[in-house]
Amino acid sequence: MKIAVFGATGGIGKFVVKHALEKGYEVNAYVRNPQKLQIENKNLKVFVGQVSDYDKIKETIAGCDAVIIALGISMKFGYEDTSSIIAHKNIIKAMKETNVKRLIDWSTPSIKFKDDKASFATIVPGILASIFLPKAKKVLKQVHSIVVNSDLDWTIVRFMAPKNTPFTKEIKESFGDVKKIQRGRLKIKFEMALLLLKLTLFLKFSFI
């Protein structure tokens, strides 16, 4: 398995790279600052560029079996960070041109899915995001639209405020119809990275 990881030096992306290399995957990591990726491995190839560098993005994706996007967006109130929108447009365009079909991405429960059940987890985040993070929510909705209308084999994993806490190996998936395990168990960057990586092998056209 060969994967391309965008946002490879971020809080979740760095763990995606780590997990993938431990499983023996080949990894093409796309970064802005290679000094932040403190990993050396014969199966790791680092590509340096900006979200607007289409040719470099296309080079990163070519020959891969799947793409994982772990790019963050700004949560500053009143600031609309469009870099993720630009990145998604370029990544998806490059995937189509290189015939790479599998895409794993992330979002938050503030972005609704048709299978969602009415619950605290599916209603409250959307309300809070509209009040406190309106610009960030607007960007996530645009990214969502770009992905679901891409005709790729996509999966979007929705989670909130992941933290750097001890690895529990417990992940519970739901559309709001399953209670959380313990507080914080769904908010661990290490585990979210592992789930993103596992999804490269199965599922498509779905939300979690």
Side-chain angles (χ1 to χ4, degrees):
M1 172 72 75
K2 184 176 183 179
I3 64 172
V5 180
F6 290 85
T9 60
I12 292 176
K14 64 185 178 183
F15 289 125
V16 172
V17 173
K18 180 179 183 296
H19 284 311
L21 293 172
E22 287 176 351
K23 290 181 175 294
Y25 288 11
E26 294 180 69
V27 179
N28 286 355
Y30 194 84
V31 302
R32 286 183 296 182
N33 185 352
Q35 282 71 42
K36 289 185 177 180
L37 192 61
Q38 302 296 318
I39 300 175
E40 291 187 7
N41 189 292
K42 63 181 179 63
N43 286 333
L44 174 63
K45 187 173 182 179
V46 179
F47 294 79
V48 181
Q50 302 294 323
V51 296
S52 57
D53 295 338
Y54 177 74
D55 289 339
K56 183 65 69 171
I57 289 173
K58 184 176 179 180
E59 182 184 355
T60 305
I61 293 172
C64 289
D65 300 297
V67 172
I68 296 178
I69 301 178
L71 294 167
I73 64 170
S74 175
M75 294 297 171
K76 292 181 181 179
F77 183 85
Y79 175 64
E80 188 171 334
D81 179 11
T82 59
S83 61
S84 184
I85 296 171
I86 296 169
H88 277 79
K89 287 180 177 179
N90 282 331
I91 291 168
I92 289 172
K93 179 182 177 182
M95 289 180 69
K96 290 181 178 180
E97 290 192 1
T98 56
N99 200 33
V100 178
K101 301 293 187 182
R102 190 73 178 103
L103 173 63
I104 314 297
D105 205 350
W106 73 276
S107 188
T108 75
S110 66
I111 306 302
K112 296 185 179 299
F113 183 55
K114 61 180 178 62
D115 290 341
D116 283 347
K117 306 296 188 296
S119 70
F120 181 92
T122 59
I123 295 175
V124 174
I127 296 173
L128 294 177
S130 295
I131 297 171
F132 297 108
L133 300 167
K135 298 295 186 180
K137 183 178 179 180
K138 180 180 177 182
V139 169
L140 284 174
K141 288 179 72 174
Q142 290 183 67
V143 167
H144 155 84
S145 179
I146 292 168
V147 172
V148 300
N149 292 305
S150 66
D151 294 324
L152 297 173
D153 296 342
W154 55 266
T155 298
I156 297 176
V157 180
R158 295 175 296 172
F159 52 84
M160 292 180 63
K163 307 295 183 183
N164 280 320
T165 55
F167 185 37
T168 66
K169 296 185 179 179
E170 294 187 57
I171 300 173
K172 185 158 288 188
E173 306 162 15
S174 82
F175 290 104
D177 53 343
V178 178
K179 291 182 179 180
K180 290 183 180 179
I181 336 170
Q182 294 180 12
R183 185 178 180 183
R185 287 290 180 93
L186 290 179
K187 301 181 179 180
I188 300 169
K189 291 180 179 179
F190 200 80
E191 294 177 21
M192 289 301 99
L194 181 58
L195 178 58
L196 291 174
L197 183 62
K198 285 182 176 180
L199 289 171
T200 59
L201 300 177
F202 57 91
L203 295 178
K204 63 180 182 179
F205 307 119
S206 59
F207 277 76
I208 290 180

